[in-house]
Amino acid sequence: MAEAGGRPTANDGLPQAQEHASSNGTPLVVQPGAQQEQSSSSKEKRESYASTEPEEPVNSEKDTGYAPIKTQTNRSTAPRIKRQITEDELFKSLSRRKTGTSISRESTHDIDHEEEQAEINRLLSRMFGRTRQEQSEEEKTRHVGISFKNLTVQGMGLGAALQPTNGDIFLGIPRLFRSMFSRGHSVKSKPPLRTIIDNFSGCVKPGEMLLVLGRPGSGCSTFLKVLGNQRFGYENIDGEVTYGGTDAHTMAKNYRGEVIYAPEDDLHYATLTVKHTLEFALKTRTPGQDSRKEGESRKDYVKEFLRVVTKLFWIEHTLNTKVGNEYVRGVSGGEKKRVSIAEAMITKASTQMWDNSTRGLDASTALEYVESLRALTNMAHISTAVALYQAGESLYNLFDKVILIDGGHCAYFGPTETAAQYFKDLGFVQPERWTTADFLTSVTDEHERNIREGWEDRIPRSSGQFGEAFKNSERAKLNWDEIREFEQEVGRQEEERRAAQTKATKRKNYTLSFWGQILACTHRQFLVMIGDKLSLGGKWGGILFQALIVGSLFYNLPRTGAGVFPRGGVLFFMLLFNALLALAELTAAFQSRPILLKHKSFSFYRPAAYAIAQTVVDMPLVLIQVAIFDIVVYFMSNLQRTASQFFISLLFLWILTMTMYAFFRSIGSLAGSLDAATRVTGVAIQALIVYTGYLIPPKKMHPWFSWLRWINPVQYGFEAIMANEFYNLEIQCEPPFLVPLGPNASPEHQSCTIQGSTPGSTVVRGSDYIQVAYQYSRSHLWRNFGFICAFFIFFVALTALGMELQKPNKGGGAVTIFKRGEAPAAVEKQMEKPEEAIDEEKPKTHDMAADTSGDLSHDTSDSDNDAVKGVAKNETVFTWRNVNYTIPFENGERRLLQDVAGFVRPGKLTALMGASGAGKTTLLNTLAQRINFGVVTGEFLVDGRPLPRSFQRSSGFAEQMDVHEPTATVREALRFSAKLRQPKEVPLQEKYDYCERIIDLLEMRPIAGAAIGQIGAGLNQEQRKRLTIGVELASKPELLMFLDEPTSGLDSGAAFNIVRFLRKLADAGQAILCTIHQPSSVLFEYFDELVLLKSGGRVVYHGELGHDSRKLIDYFESHGGRRCPRKANPAEYMLEVIGAGNPDYQGQDWGDVWNESADRQERLAEIESMIERRRNVDTVGQLRDDREFAMPKSTQIYTVVMRTFTSYWRSPEYIIGKFMLHIFTGLFNSFTFWHLGNSQIDMQSRLFSVFMTLTISPPLIQQLQPRFLQMRSIYASRERNSKIYSWVAFATSAIVVELPYSVVADWPTWFPRDTFTSAVVWMYMMLFELYYVGFGQAIASFAPNELLASLLVPIFFLFVVSFCGIVVPYAALPYFWRSWMYHLSPFTYLLEGFLGLVVHGVPLQCDDSELAKFSPPPGQDCQQYAGGYVAQAGGYVQELGGGLCGLCQYANGDQFAASFNVSYSYKWRDYGIVWAFILFNFGVVFVASWLYLSGGRKIKGWLSPSARRERNHTREAEKERPAGGQM
């Protein structure tokens, strides 16, 4: 860490040769010689990390001339290595140096220290040293160093917008006209440009690290993206950016892999292990033979690099652990960061940009992370820029240069050592104990800056003035000199590059050939799939289950007339089921897109290679999936049992399923969002199903849609498997398909009602049947196979193209979104006249960004303090003792908290700290009674009494993740919390007035009408954090406030504002306990008390901090801890002393030290006396309210329903998507079945039109489920735990809001137009809408996440559809299913209602091809011969020419319906039954929500053995307590 004077110690944790003290304290010699204007300390920093092999003298001719790589030349005088040091010892030294423990302290006594250094250098230079560089063509042709001159970036938009609503759909045009006439000028369609980065110049040389500082929204990310050559999304980029002398355009075209931008998220495949993740990166970046060492194979290179890189970043112990995510258990956050760095190191990019990557890491892990980057920069000799929001002094000292950005202007660019002095010379003061980084960012904040006396009128104030001041400064001139000098060096570098360049290195976008990329991606994709065995097994299990159902449904089909329709049905079903399973690809495609784009920007592989690899991996997996289904269904349903027919059916099913996978993937790759993709697939599925030729025979298709069948791969597949099945099938005609029947009927005078029959024959040839009914032929079999393959190749190519077109890291400005009518006046004016606000960065009196930021840090006036006092005041004391928390782990148990005791009292701000993984958040959740897994024991008391039922509601808990309803405004969020959490006795207006006070207190008045939104389009990180705290304050917490990481992800200024605000609250009498990461010494000073944990959840300190944390420091120093340097940050010092994050910590166990200390006994005695003292105080006034919820159920339900309605009203993209799907499918259905006639096939078309209407439900369900799950996650993660409202209100609101939008749908097909029928059909239609909403939400209510919910939909849907009597007619259903499942399917009744209504009373007139033709016996006419049969069986008979009779099976629609067991007379019975199903669905939503949100936990708690043991233990303890109390 930093020693006295703020200078870095000899080791800043960097694995490179460096200046360090020998045992007698004299420094080792380091060759001087750097550019004069570089400060000496910057020079030391880089010289000391030079990456050369120690025993190799520097060849001055080879030396590129950059100061950073000059190194010791007098190696001959160094003592020779006395013993061989093992590699493990070396890496131990390395990791020890990385954890922030000072090497000068630890290793001064190590006599082999210098030899160790030399050995480390030799090892690292295997990957990055001169030996490799001299032999490597790739190394010689690298573009090192980056310079930028007059860089200006412009983006679209104003930074503010109005919130869209459903009303805009109707009001958009009137508003446009109004604005045209009222302003008297034309409305500009294009928003104005604004400058995001304004005229930046500077350079970052090889081996240098640049720290990028600035408040959120000042332009840091844009600066890094543009330097990282990620230029997509910006309107104009002017100025010159060169990489080793090569311009940005050439770099993007030919050397993409040499420049990378790493976003703040760690994007990796969760199911891959760390080893496979890094191996994949290495395989794709292994250089060619010319750039590897003599005799070094690709495999050797990968193995060696992997070994070095994992030891260097101390992740070798995680190699076989999965990377993990929120659903898959994997490595820790800090380890995941290091995997990301290792991945970037593997790219060997010469220029690397890292965006706010320490977010969410504690101080020791963040330091380790930056030290790893420092090591990488020195070894690989690259230029690195890092944006950090909270940089401690030890972090700051690792950088060579710093840039401070303010509102798009460069306020400073230059060496880190001179930055603070530059601003002091401008008239600013750096307060005692402020870190340099905090001081620099504070300068740009008008409320936070400290000004030297008498300089108030001389300092720059606006961002423009800061930019101007710097442009005219001496420092800017030196920068230009440095750029010119660097360009001369670069000229020499360019000549060397040209000389070394060969054909292989002329373009260096991808290291591997395209085929090599495909192989690597295929292997990786296979590992990803196999890594998720659970999903794969679940999917295959689901398919087997479905196959058994389908097989039993079509069980043992006869080779007679009765088996003809179901035989077509089972083949259609087989195709359809496998094609629909591919729908889940959409969700998967959008989930893996960010990783694909990151790898694209890292130049690991072309997206096209990934598209092909995905397809290659699918081939065997889809074959298994299809085989499971086909084998079961094929043999259960007794399809043709010859080997050729079985394998042909398997082949077609496989190729068609692959084609459908490719089809849905291509939609996913071309669509911008999942919403847009589902709109397309909804209509596409309808087209694919209807135009296969099964539901409507080709001859009945209307010309405007019949072309669809030629571009429908499913149609070709269906023709092939139908022809394959039927071409050699002899269909025996049996009653009722044999007509006419009667005592005098003989076979030569009978015929078959099946199409393709010949008069006088009772056998129909299968080939004739498919020819007449479908115009299908066996001769088309292999032609169709070719067509399907062509579709397959086309869709894969389309997917590859779509993926290639996607752009990573899209840039653009952030936007604040206001509710119409609630934007501040200045913002509204700017939105009305955008051309006046074109340049946001010009120094001007009014700045929109400032207008919408709202700041906490005004000097607190007396009135402000009064406001705080009115907000928070309580006197209760919260204590806890002997708290233990155990969770089941692998085969045993794991204890996360051990015997923790402590207290929080009013007026005190208590910090809860520890290293990553020590159990801070766990303890906070345990104390707040928010643990819903494992077993918690211990004593929790409020004023010496057990916790009241209202504890969770009466204490505020600000979550680390700022979870809010995104469409609500700030004011609405506060009012919602106040209305439902303050006691019901408080009048509503008083609650709302209180919210206004909170808005003023948090200084959010300018954004009170702003929507919360998402980051980038909504509130920024700091505003969200403030809102989270405000929402908790709005509830008027009577007991205390818990806050989890309130400063995480904020810049130092915002963090400072939040903590200062908490201090205000504490001073006003609020009791506050909060966990905190990376506090600077200034922030730490604001806290009164500390609870410090070490890994394993053990307390190592609890007590007061004292002035300058003196009490804390004294405790550690008096118990054997090292002395704390005067300028060190106590928060970092204490973590370092207890060995937090240090894998090689060998010191004492501070948990044991605390347990044996006098301080602990004092604390326990203090807790005991507090309990006794407070137990006797009358707290009736304090805890007057012991209700679980503040408001009655009716108010909860009303308020939550209204909020959800508002949310839907403000989500036009969802509502439009829903309407579009209804409208498109309605129109599609109508035009497909336009003006239906009266033939038998037209009756069948009526049936299928109804069926099609029912099949619109899966895409609609896929649309509504994410909404339901999003609302549930907001409730489960925050609102349930705070006891704002009950699960009943959540479930009710989720259901009620969907209904009105779903009911507004129309259905204009050519059905009977009489009023009664139309009205009843419409009533059924409404019923169907209600049914699918309940059905979709019921599935979602017991699914843990969106992916599983979307996978469950087709399985449940097909289950419901299979038994309704369409796919297999009622008469053909196996008895087992017919006896119960037929009656349990809701679609049975919907179908009966619809079909009975639309065919009732419609006369039926058979087409010629539909008539069964036969000749009557001699002497009889048609009527005499067949009239008796027709009178009994239904239908009619007519005379045909040529002595033939034609018999039509049905005479009217009702007879047709009867063949499906449908009766018109049951329409009202069915209507009632469907209502019962709807109510059942909504009942499931309530029950499953209760189980998921609270009931399941209670049931599990009662049944679990450990919980039972715990209850018994508690009972015994309570029996003994009176005795104990008297001791």
Side-chain angles (χ1 to χ4, degrees), residues 1014-1304:
Q1014 315 295 339
I1015 287 188
L1019 303 186
N1020 66 29
Q1021 195 75 40
E1022 181 194 357
Q1023 291 164 346
R1024 300 173 96 79
K1025 192 59 75 181
R1026 267 193 262 169
L1027 176 64
T1028 302
I1029 296 171
V1031 163
E1032 296 307 313
L1033 284 177
S1035 70
K1036 258 194 178 166
E1038 295 176 350
L1039 300 176
L1040 74 160
M1041 282 274 289
F1042 296 102
L1043 296 103
D1044 191 10
E1045 306 290 0
T1047 60
S1048 176
L1050 303 182
D1051 68 303
S1052 51
F1056 185 69
N1057 290 342
I1058 294 283
V1059 172
R1060 190 146 67 177
F1061 175 66
L1062 295 178
R1063 178 72 264 167
K1064 273 197 233 174
L1065 289 178
D1067 290 343
Q1070 182 73 57
I1072 299 175
L1073 174 65
C1074 87
T1075 59
I1076 191 159
H1077 263 344
Q1078 304 183 12
S1080 63
S1081 43
V1082 182
L1083 285 190
F1084 199 51
E1085 192 59 28
Y1086 276 92
F1087 289 90
D1088 301 301
E1089 296 178 337
L1090 169 74
V1091 178
L1092 179 61
L1093 299 180
K1094 63 168 289 217
S1095 53
R1098 298 182 66 196
V1099 178
V1100 291
Y1101 180 78
H1102 174 218
E1104 288 187 27
L1105 286 168
H1107 180 61
D1108 282 351
S1109 307
R1110 201 60 254 170
K1111 290 186 179 176
L1112 170 76
I1113 294 167
D1114 289 347
Y1115 170 79
F1116 282 114
E1117 288 181 349
S1118 66
H1119 288 86
R1122 69 176 180 84
R1123 290 191 62 75
C1124 176
R1126 193 173 61 82
K1127 287 235 173 174
N1129 177 355
E1132 290 179 5
Y1133 159 79
M1134 69 183 187
L1135 289 175
E1136 199 181 301
V1137 166
I1138 65 169
N1142 180 3
D1144 297 317
Y1145 175 73
Q1146 301 292 332
Q1148 57 190 340
D1149 185 324
W1150 285 92
D1152 295 343
V1153 172
W1154 173 253
N1155 284 344
E1156 290 154 17
S1157 70
D1159 296 67
R1160 178 172 182 264
Q1161 301 312 318
E1162 271 175 41
R1163 281 311 87 74
L1164 291 175
E1166 210 173 328
I1167 292 172
E1168 191 58 54
S1169 74
M1170 277 180 189
I1171 292 171
E1172 286 306 317
R1173 199 170 60 247
R1174 295 298 302 174
R1175 199 176 270 159
N1176 304 324
V1177 174
D1178 175 27
T1179 53
V1180 176
Q1182 217 58 39
L1183 294 173
R1184 54 190 175 272
D1185 176 8
D1186 196 21
R1187 295 171 296 226
E1188 188 180 9
F1189 298 103
M1191 301 302 280
K1193 282 261 191 327
S1194 55
T1195 310
Q1196 291 175 33
I1197 291 171
Y1198 173 76
T1199 311
V1200 179
V1201 166
M1202 289 314 292
R1203 179 181 73 164
T1204 317
F1205 264 118
T1206 309
S1207 164
Y1208 270 59
W1209 180 250
R1210 293 174 186 167
S1211 311
E1213 68 295 329
Y1214 170 66
I1215 301 300
I1216 289 172
K1218 198 185 193 68
F1219 275 45
M1220 290 310 239
L1221 203 51
H1222 272 103
I1223 292 165
F1224 275 130
T1225 46
L1227 289 172
F1228 186 70
N1229 196 336
S1230 304
F1231 284 115
T1232 295
F1233 300 107
W1234 182 256
H1235 282 273
L1236 291 174
N1238 286 7
S1239 70
Q1240 189 176 328
I1241 204 76
D1242 287 323
M1243 288 298 155
Q1244 209 168 306
S1245 291
R1246 284 176 170 80
L1247 168 71
F1248 285 136
S1249 179
V1250 169
F1251 184 59
M1252 245 182 87
T1253 304
L1254 301 184
T1255 57
I1256 176 194
S1257 50
L1260 285 165
I1261 289 172
Q1262 301 268 20
Q1263 250 185 348
L1264 72 85
Q1265 280 183 336
R1267 297 286 303 187
F1268 179 88
L1269 292 168
Q1270 187 188 353
M1271 290 192 296
R1272 187 179 71 183
S1273 77
I1274 291 174
Y1275 176 69
S1277 57
R1278 186 172 67 84
E1279 294 169 339
R1280 169 185 66 181
N1281 294 329
S1282 302
K1283 293 285 165 43
I1284 305 183
Y1285 56 89
S1286 77
W1287 64 270
V1288 177
F1290 154 73
T1292 309
S1293 71
I1295 292 167
V1296 168
V1297 175
E1298 276 288 349
L1299 303 183
Y1301 288 108
S1302 299
V1303 162
V1304 186

Side-chain angles (χ1 to χ4, degrees), residues 219-239:
C220 298
S221 287
T222 298
F223 176 66
L224 289 174
K225 278 178 188 169
V226 174
L227 288 197
N229 222 3
Q230 305 284 319
R231 295 174 164 229
F232 176 66
Y234 299 107
E235 287 302 303
N236 293 327
I237 298 179
D238 300 322

Side-chain angles (χ1 to χ4, degrees), residues 151 153 196-197 200 212-232 234 261-264 353-357 385-389 403 405 408 809-814 1015:
L151 176 65
V153 181
I196 307 173
I197 292 288
F200 283 24
V212 181
L213 293 177
R215 309 193 64 195
S218 57
C220 298
S221 287
T222 298
F223 176 66
L224 289 174
K225 278 178 188 169
V226 174
L227 288 197
N229 222 3
Q230 305 284 319
R231 295 174 164 229
F232 176 66
Y234 299 107
Y261 166 81
E264 65 181 77
M353 304 291 138
W354 293 84
D355 199 354
N356 188 21
S357 306
V386 187
L388 295 179
Y389 275 174
I403 183 169
I405 304 177
N809 309 314
K810 183 180 176 182
I1015 287 188

Side-chain angles (χ1 to χ4, degrees), residues 356-542:
N356 188 21
S357 306
T358 59
R359 181 175 165 188
L361 299 182
D362 64 86
S364 61
T365 316
L367 182 64
E368 251 174 70
Y369 160 78
V370 178
E371 285 172 337
S372 304
L373 279 182
R374 177 78 255 182
L376 166 58
T377 305
N378 297 314
M379 283 186 297
H381 201 56
I382 59 175
S383 307
T384 310
V386 187
L388 295 179
Y389 275 174
Q390 295 179 42
E393 200 63 28
S394 43
L395 255 71
Y396 181 83
N397 286 325
L398 292 171
F399 290 89
D400 305 289
K401 288 179 176 170
V402 60
I403 183 169
L404 176 64
I405 304 177
D406 179 25
H409 290 269
C410 178
Y412 175 83
F413 178 91
T416 47
E417 294 76 18
T418 59
Q421 194 53 50
Y422 168 80
F423 286 106
K424 287 173 185 170
D425 294 344
L426 284 179
F428 296 99
V429 176
Q430 180 176 359
E432 184 71 10
R433 297 198 88 132
W434 275 43
T435 64
T436 313
D438 285 358
F439 166 56
L440 297 185
T441 37
S442 74
V443 163
T444 63
D445 182 347
E446 58 180 304
H447 307 305
E448 220 183 304
R449 54 175 76 130
N450 294 277
I451 303 164
R452 199 190 305 167
E453 227 173 290
W455 284 64
E456 288 79 2
D457 300 330
R458 297 160 67 183
I459 60 149
R461 289 186 182 275
S462 72
S463 54
Q465 288 168 356
F466 271 109
E468 204 52 44
F470 181 70
K471 220 175 283 177
N472 301 327
S473 69
E474 189 58 34
R475 178 70 258 156
K477 291 191 186 79
L478 288 171
N479 282 352
W480 278 104
D481 293 345
E482 190 183 6
I483 292 171
R484 281 190 283 275
E485 201 172 319
F486 176 63
E487 282 175 345
Q488 287 169 7
E489 297 288 357
V490 162
R492 215 164 75 212
Q493 188 199 120
E494 276 186 282
E495 282 165 31
E496 281 179 23
R497 253 204 326 266
R498 266 198 296 275
Q501 202 171 62
T502 64
K503 194 178 174 197
T505 48
K506 215 164 215 154
R507 287 178 73 123
K508 291 200 297 185
N509 288 337
Y510 300 101
T511 317
L512 274 183
S513 68
F514 188 63
W515 296 114
Q517 292 169 32
I518 291 173
L519 282 174
C521 286
T522 304
H523 181 237
R524 194 266 315 261
Q525 197 58 23
F526 179 72
L527 292 171
V528 169
M529 300 295 278
I530 296 302
D532 195 4
K533 291 188 181 72
L534 204 65
S535 293
L536 208 57
K539 190 175 175 185
W540 289 348

Side-chain angles (χ1 to χ4, degrees), residues 87-97 1144 1146:
E87 227 170 62
D88 273 350
E89 285 177 301
L90 293 179
F91 276 113
K92 242 180 195 160
S93 156
L94 264 181
S95 66
R96 181 170 72 241
R97 299 164 62 191
D1144 297 317
Q1146 301 292 332

